[in-house]
């Protein structure tokens, strides 16, 4: 007899620090629901959308848990899955989110140890909040649920779930890079975190380099672990149980971006942007406010271009969009000031009566506006000092409907492993090399631009978010996304044929 649960019983439970939406209290006292930013939300929303699963996370608010649950319930129907908030108070946000997650793990995992603040109080609150997430997950669990925990803020959740007696298969995906042993060892709690990771049945990382680093840490630092390579997986046996480690580069919902980029509202936006900047090649940077994104280096590279190649003055404009993020952490506040100083220095030095070199935007853009910039700009400058993957570069390619734009990409973005052959690869610390790359992109013949962009788009299309989630699930539970129900009332008509033609062209 078939013991498999009916597909309708399979539930996907996504657990991440943040829910896909952020709740903000307006002065009048009512709650406003705004879309979250960051790669994790962009990637996972289409996976859960309309599937009737559950997303567990923090709402971004520090008060009124009962009211928040109410607001989220009303929002469930819009997104097609259930949102469950884990309450976190102001002091806990300070220590768990600002502190351990973003002043220790975030910089350390991005090889920026000089940015770390190793305060012992942070760790205790990190453990406490990870326990709270585990309790929320365990509170309403079915044996057939697939639990998928995400990112560095929640490494310790599996260990607590096991203590609570949960026997479901547990998977974890790390969206950031994983550091090599010499850097990981700087973490005072490295041994607890490494063992916690091995409490998951499956640990996915972005690139082969991250997998190599993680396996190297386990081999070197956990003397009682036994590691065996099995095809593209590594099996780790520790304390009598097995865990697997493998790399799965995350993708985007290519189809969704490309279709949305062709909408008339975006088309009008593209025309307005181009009209306003007539005669100028447009170079685009889009990043969360974060020191890992290399924004000051990029601005210096642009200044270097204007200085060394005076003939491009008046003929090139840098559009730099910075999305507010982690406001309240001093290093982020200082970075904002630094960026604004650099922008005004460049504009002060090179502007003319009819041209301003840097068009700077500091706010969260609406989707049409973001896609409008993706389509209107001739060159994208994606130059993080280090990045787990970087989805902006993939979104830019998906939106390049004319297949005529150029991607300049940091060799230290996870995406470089997939896109490096067709992008112009740069070292983000090398300001002159970046300036040369912009100059080269401006003068690149159309045939070359098209050849490269077609290859980029094909790669992003073939390794999209559905490919990612299916390969991950196949490896972890031998299932695909189709084994999880889609709620009929949410299914949108889609002409897949029409779409694949758009990619072929
Ligand atoms: P990270 O996860 O570090 O922020 P990524 O490049 O992987 O970096 O992801 C950034 C995500 O944020 C992208 O999916 C992008 O579409 C989204 N994003 C970019 N600009 C905005 C914006 N103005 N408002 C909301 N989301 C944005
Ligand atoms: O992709 C890395 C990541 O830290 C995600 O975990 C997170 O959702 C996103 O960047 C945005 O950061 P935050 O949630 O701290 O605003």
């Amino acid at each position: 007899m078939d013991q498999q649960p009916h597909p309708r019983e399979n539930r996907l439970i996504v657990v991440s620090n943040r829910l896909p939406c952020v709740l903000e209290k307006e002065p009048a006292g009512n709650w406003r629901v705004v879309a979250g930013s960051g790669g994790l939300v962009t990637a996972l929303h289409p996976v859960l959308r309309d599937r009737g699963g559950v997303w567990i996370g923090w709402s971004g608010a520090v008060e009124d848990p009962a009211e928040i649950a109410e607001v989220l319930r009303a929002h469930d129907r819009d997104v097609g899955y259930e949102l469950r908030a884990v309450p976190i108070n102001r002091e806990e946000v300070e220590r768990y989110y600002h502190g351990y997650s973003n002043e220790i793990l975030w910089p350390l995992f991005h090889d920026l140890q000089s940015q770390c603040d190793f305060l012992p109080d942070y760790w205790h609150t990190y453990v406490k909040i990870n326990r709270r997430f585990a309790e929320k997950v365990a509170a309403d669990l079915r044996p057939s649920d697939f639990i998928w925990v995400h990112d560095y803020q929640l490494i310790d959740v599996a260990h607590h779930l096991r203590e609570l007696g949960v026997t479901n298969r547990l998977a974890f995906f790390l969206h950031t890079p994983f550091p090599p042993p010499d850097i990981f060892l700087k973490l005072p709690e490295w041994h607890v975190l490494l063992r916690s990771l091995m409490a998951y049945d499956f640990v996915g990382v972005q690139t082969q380099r991250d997998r190599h680093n993680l396996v190297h840490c386990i081999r070197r630092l956990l003397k009682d672990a036994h590691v065996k390579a099995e095809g593209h997986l590594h099996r780790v046996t520790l304390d009598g149980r097995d865990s697997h480690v493998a790399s799965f580069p995350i993708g985007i919902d290519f189809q969704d971006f490309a279709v949305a980029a062709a909408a008339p509202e975006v088309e009008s936006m593209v025309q307005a942007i181009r009209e306003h900047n007539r005669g100028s090649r447009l170079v685009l940077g889009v990043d969360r406010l974060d020191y890992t994104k290399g924004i000051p280096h990029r601005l210096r590279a642009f200044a270097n271009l204007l200085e060394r190649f005076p003939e491009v003055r008046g003929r090139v404009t840098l559009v730099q969009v910075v999305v507010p993020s982690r406001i309240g952490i001093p290093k982020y506040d200082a970075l904002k000031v630094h960026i604004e100083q650099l922008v005004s220095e460049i504009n002060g030095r090179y502007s003319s009566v009819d041209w301003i070199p840097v068009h700077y935007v500091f706010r969260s853009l609406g989707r049409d506006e973001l896609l409008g910039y993706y389509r209107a700009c001739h060159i994208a400058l994606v130059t993080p000092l280090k990045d787990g993957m970087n989805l902006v570069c993939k979104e830019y390619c998906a939106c390049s409907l004319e297949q005529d734009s150029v991607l300049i990409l940091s060799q230290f973005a996870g995406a470089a492993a997939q896109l490096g052959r067709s992008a112009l690869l740069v070292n983000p610390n090398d300001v002159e090399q970046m300036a040369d790359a912009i100059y080269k992109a401006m003068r690149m013949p159309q045939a070359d631009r098209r050849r490269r962009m077609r290859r980029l788009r094909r790669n992003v299309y073939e390794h999209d978010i559905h490919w990612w989630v299916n390969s991950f699930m196949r490896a972890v539970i031998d299932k695909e996304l189709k084994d999880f129900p889609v709620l009929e009332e949410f299914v949108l008509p889609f002409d897949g044929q029409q779409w694949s033609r758009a990619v072929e062209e």
Side-chain angles (χ1 to χ4, degrees):
M1 215 171 77
D2 187 6
Q3 293 297 311
Q4 292 294 311
H6 185 275
R8 288 218 158 274
E9 291 171 31
N10 290 330
R11 276 194 320 179
L12 195 52
I13 315 268
V14 165
V15 188
S16 70
N17 170 55
R18 268 189 200 281
L19 287 171
C21 52
V22 178
L23 294 198
E24 289 173 359
K25 201 162 206 168
E26 297 196 309
N30 51 316
W31 289 99
R32 200 162 70 99
V33 183
V34 291
S37 66
L40 191 153
V41 168
T42 315
L44 285 172
H45 172 68
V47 172
L48 262 189
R49 184 177 49 205
D50 315 336
R51 219 160 271 281
V54 181
W55 192 322
I56 296 175
W58 172 48
S59 70
V62 289
E63 54 210 341
D64 305 330
E67 257 182 59
I68 284 164
E70 193 63 30
V71 177
L72 291 177
R73 243 192 313 280
H75 200 59
D76 285 356
R77 254 202 71 83
D78 298 340
V79 289
Y81 49 86
E82 199 184 317
L83 298 163
R84 285 195 205 149
V86 176
I88 306 182
N89 70 31
R90 201 176 298 278
E91 195 185 326
E92 291 165 345
V93 167
E94 206 43 57
R95 294 174 181 194
Y96 147 76
Y97 171 69
H98 287 168
Y100 201 78
S101 298
N102 287 324
E103 292 190 273
I104 298 182
L105 292 181
W106 177 265
L108 197 80
F109 282 16
H110 287 85
D111 299 350
L112 296 167
Q113 6 166 352
S114 58
Q115 307 271 8
C116 293
D117 259 336
F118 293 106
L119 297 188
D121 273 1
Y122 290 171
W123 168 247
H124 302 304
T125 312
Y126 181 84
V127 173
K128 181 168 131 192
I129 300 296
N130 273 246
R131 175 80 183 189
R132 191 175 298 161
F133 270 81
E135 284 165 354
K136 191 79 175 177
V137 175
D140 164 37
L141 204 57
R142 302 176 194 163
S144 60
D145 286 342
F146 170 52
I147 303 164
W148 194 359
V149 181
H150 291 263
D151 235 355
Y152 60 98
Q153 303 95 339
L154 300 177
I155 292 175
D156 202 29
V157 167
H159 149 236
H160 295 287
L161 281 170
R162 296 298 183 210
E163 276 188 3
L164 291 165
V166 170
T167 54
N168 296 49
R169 274 185 87 70
L170 302 178
F172 179 81
F173 189 80
L174 183 69
H175 292 251
T176 67
F178 195 89
D182 290 351
I183 292 190
F184 188 65
L185 260 177
K186 312 250 159 158
L187 201 60
E189 301 80 15
W190 65 262
H191 57 292
V192 186
L193 281 181
L194 205 50
R195 284 188 172 270
S196 296
L197 261 183
M198 293 301 106
Y200 290 93
D201 295 293
F202 205 96
V203 176
V205 290
Q206 298 273 24
T207 64
Q208 290 194 29
R209 188 184 322 179
D210 300 319
R211 192 208 57 203
H212 172 84
N213 285 344
L214 174 54
V215 169
H216 196 180
C217 282
I218 296 168
R219 283 208 163 109
R220 219 182 104 186
L221 305 176
L222 295 181
K223 297 292 179 215
D224 49 341
H226 179 256
V227 184
K228 187 165 183 281
E230 295 176 344
H232 77 290
L233 304 181
H234 277 74
R235 176 152 53 99
V236 181
T237 310
L238 181 67
D239 298 333
R241 54 182 308 285
D242 285 347
S243 179
H244 285 88
V245 176
S247 62
F248 295 91
I250 198 166
I252 58 160
D253 193 339
F254 182 97
Q255 165 196 312
D256 192 56
F257 272 95
V259 170
E265 304 78 46
V266 176
E267 186 68 53
S268 332
M269 194 74 77
V270 173
Q271 277 171 13
I273 296 168
R274 290 227 169 131
E275 180 59 28
H276 187 73
N277 294 280
R278 208 152 6 124
S280 237
R281 300 301 280 175
L282 295 174
V283 181
L284 179 67
V286 176
D287 311 82
R288 266 187 317 101
L289 178 69
D290 203 297
Y291 47 78
T292 59
K293 302 291 181 184
I295 304 169
H297 303 65
R298 188 183 310 158
L299 287 165
R300 277 189 223 109
F302 190 67
N304 186 280
L305 170 87
L306 301 178
E307 194 54 42
R308 284 172 49 233
F309 304 101
E311 70 273 23
V312 303
R313 294 181 198 168
R315 296 178 47 224
V316 62
T317 300
L318 173 64
V319 179
Q320 178 61 58
V321 179
V322 178
V323 184
S325 179
R326 303 179 190 167
I327 300 296
I329 299 180
K331 290 198 174 75
Y332 286 73
D333 299 343
L335 176 65
K336 176 172 185 280
V337 173
H338 185 40
I339 291 169
E340 287 172 0
Q341 264 168 1
L342 285 170
V343 169
S344 67
E345 270 170 35
I346 298 171
N347 284 344
R349 183 171 167 86
Y350 298 103
S351 287
S352 59
V353 275
D354 55 356
W355 171 68
I356 297 174
V358 185
H359 179 92
Y360 172 67
V361 181
F362 181 77
R363 65 187 157 81
S364 192
L365 298 182
R367 189 165 156 93
D368 286 349
E369 210 179 344
L370 178 65
L371 300 193
Y373 279 119
Y374 280 157
R375 271 194 63 189
C377 293
H378 308 93
I379 299 165
L381 203 43
V382 182
T383 55
L385 303 180
K386 182 109 181 176
D387 212 331
M389 176 52 59
N390 193 285
L391 296 185
V392 164
C393 62
K394 295 189 171 184
E395 293 168 8
Y396 178 74
C397 296
C399 294
S400 175
L401 304 185
E402 285 82 23
Q403 314 197 60
D404 192 16
S405 35
V406 183
L407 173 64
I408 300 177
L409 181 62
S410 161
Q411 66 188 90
F412 304 122
Q418 292 169 290
L419 308 181
R421 277 186 46 224
S422 308
L424 296 182
L425 265 199
V426 291
N427 176 346
N429 300 303
D430 189 338
V431 161
E432 284 201 350
Q433 188 199 33
M434 281 196 282
D436 290 344
I438 304 172
Y439 191 67
K440 179 173 174 182
M442 289 177 69
R443 294 158 54 97
M444 190 181 280
Q446 190 184 48
D448 197 5
R449 295 200 301 266
R450 283 185 168 271
R451 190 174 45 80
R452 286 169 181 268
M453 187 43 75
R454 278 207 195 104
R455 285 208 307 245
L456 288 168
R457 281 167 61 78
R458 174 152 297 285
N459 197 314
V460 178
Y461 172 70
E462 284 174 356
H463 302 101
D464 72 350
I465 189 66
H466 305 291
W467 168 85
W468 175 74
V469 77
N470 282 332
S471 15
F472 190 86
M473 285 187 172
R474 236 179 284 126
V476 185
I477 48 173
D478 202 20
K479 281 192 184 0
E480 296 202 350
L481 201 51
K482 66 175 164 46
D483 298 314
F484 293 79
V486 174
L487 307 178
E488 279 81 7
E489 65 262 43
F490 288 108
V491 180
L492 294 167
F494 163 63
D495 180 355
Q497 287 241 319
Q498 185 192 355
W499 178 239
S500 55
R501 271 205 306 279
V503 178
E504 296 298 327
E505 279 164 15

